[in-house]
Amino acid sequence: MRGMINGLLKTVDPDQHEHILLSTDSSGEIPTPELLRERMDQRITDACKPFDNPELRNTLIEIKRRREQTIDTVSKDSVIESGFDREAKVSAERIVTNFKQFIEDNKDELTAIQIIYSKPYGQRHLTYQQVKQIADAIESTPHHLTTERLWRAYEQLEQSKVKGAGAHKLLTDIISLVRFAIGETETLEPYKESIDRQFQRWLSKQENQFSEEQMAWLEMIKDHIATSLDIEMEDFEEIPFKAKGGVIRVHQLFGEELTEILAELNERLAA
């Protein structure tokens, strides 16, 4: 997409036109106006060529339809009724119903939903790929459900039970939505908040007094689990760990206890 956009911008960029005007052809001559026009026409043709693909055009139309928001800057608003409008509520009810039906239809098909349904809370271990499978599956349904749409729908219907309103960009938030939809939790909250709570419980049971630097690393590990559902040794060679010293530094800080700490955090936080 970035390449297509850049191609279109270059066709209307005066600097690009000047570059073509000043460039020489194979004979060393400055191009004539006719040749310049020919070159520009070719650039326009090349930039527009991807849009000859009907599948791409239909995809762009669908993306626009799903993301489009009409903003009226002319009309003056007046308060008719406080609260959510009836049409929005009906739409939200439809979205929630479709989501619950999706869970029911797939509780024996999608591994992550099977685990949430069948295993006690403390005995679960979901993987990132399993959760991504749910997110991809709900978005590919005819209803085009997404975490953001589902969160807004629940906020409209049960505002007092929904926390963290706004854009939800973590893939793992789908876990919170499934738990809330099947009645396992009474409050819908971002997945990271439940991870934060489990992390504080784990800390309260530790006999060791962690140093300030150790706590900073534990916080980074906790945040990584909130987005990726687990942490492995190779992850310490990625951002943000690598910038702090990576595998070598984490071994220096925690020593022989590192393996046990990671195992406990993987088990207790991402359950």
Side-chain angles (χ1 to χ4, degrees):
M1 184 67 74
R2 186 180 293 109
M4 287 189 291
I5 292 171
N6 287 339
L8 292 171
L9 289 174
K10 285 180 179 179
T11 63
V12 294
D13 185 350
D15 291 336
Q16 290 292 322
H17 298 180
E18 183 178 359
H19 172 73
I20 296 174
L21 177 64
L22 296 177
S23 63
T24 59
D25 58 23
S26 57
S27 65
E29 297 291 333
I30 298 295
T32 63
E34 291 77 14
L35 182 57
L36 174 64
R37 183 69 262 169
E38 182 180 333
R39 288 182 179 179
M40 287 306 306
D41 287 344
Q42 185 59 50
R43 282 206 170 193
I44 293 172
T45 299
D46 292 342
C48 294
K49 190 172 182 180
F51 301 97
D52 291 339
N53 185 338
E55 185 176 354
L56 172 62
R57 296 198 303 271
N58 289 334
T59 299
L60 292 174
I61 292 171
E62 176 61 19
I63 292 173
K64 180 176 182 295
R65 183 188 66 78
R66 288 161 55 185
R67 302 292 184 184
E68 191 171 41
Q69 181 181 23
T70 302
I71 301 176
D72 184 355
T73 60
V74 179
S75 304
K76 290 185 177 180
D77 295 330
S78 58
V79 177
I80 299 175
E81 179 181 355
S82 177
F84 296 114
D85 66 74
R86 292 184 181 84
E87 289 187 10
K89 183 178 180 180
V90 171
S91 176
E93 289 173 344
R94 183 168 58 249
I95 289 172
V96 168
T97 298
N98 290 334
F99 181 52
K100 290 182 177 179
Q101 187 61 52
F102 167 84
I103 294 174
E104 181 65 27
D105 293 343
N106 290 276
K107 66 181 181 181
D108 297 323
E109 302 295 329
L110 296 175
T111 305
I113 297 181
Q114 285 180 342
I115 292 173
I116 293 174
Y117 257 106
S118 63
K119 299 225 178 213
Y121 184 85
Q123 299 178 18
R124 300 172 184 168
H125 185 71
L126 299 169
T127 68
Y128 185 86
Q129 289 303 319
Q130 289 167 349
V131 174
K132 188 175 187 303
Q133 186 182 33
I134 297 180
D136 290 343
I138 64 171
E139 191 162 1
S140 65
T141 64
H143 311 294
H144 299 297
L145 301 177
T146 63
T147 304
E148 289 84 358
R149 291 187 69 200
L150 287 165
W151 213 281
R152 288 196 300 269
Y154 274 117
E155 185 188 13
Q156 292 222 318
L157 298 176
E158 303 181 73
Q159 187 176 16
S160 62
K161 297 182 180 181
V162 178
K163 297 173 61 179
H168 295 269
K169 297 181 179 179
L170 288 185
L171 178 73
T172 47
D173 280 338
I174 197 70
I175 300 173
S176 299
L177 284 163
V178 173
R179 289 174 176 171
F180 187 70
I182 66 176
E184 183 179 281
T185 57
E186 295 182 357
T187 302
L188 177 59
E189 63 179 2
Y191 185 69
K192 187 179 183 302
E193 291 194 19
S194 65
I195 291 287
D196 290 342
R197 191 164 52 251
Q198 293 296 331
F199 179 66
Q200 292 302 321
R201 289 175 182 169
W202 177 81
L203 280 177
S204 68
K205 296 178 181 178
Q206 301 307 300
E207 297 179 359
N208 295 342
Q209 184 69 34
F210 294 113
S211 68
E212 184 176 343
E213 186 177 4
Q214 284 177 322
M215 280 302 305
W217 275 78
L218 289 172
E219 288 282 350
M220 290 192 296
I221 291 170
K222 179 256 297 180
D223 290 342
H224 182 88
I225 293 175
T227 58
S228 302
L229 293 173
D230 66 6
I231 189 163
E232 304 294 341
M233 288 305 300
E234 55 264 30
D235 294 323
F236 291 110
E237 288 305 313
E238 305 295 335
I239 299 297
F241 306 105
K242 190 172 183 178
K244 303 289 185 179
V247 172
I248 294 176
R249 188 54 184 159
V250 76
H251 270 294
Q252 291 173 341
L253 285 171
F254 296 100
E256 296 180 356
E257 296 180 355
L258 177 61
T259 301
E260 182 180 352
I261 287 174
L262 294 182
E264 286 187 5
L265 291 176
N266 276 330
E267 178 183 352
R268 296 176 185 272
L269 300 194

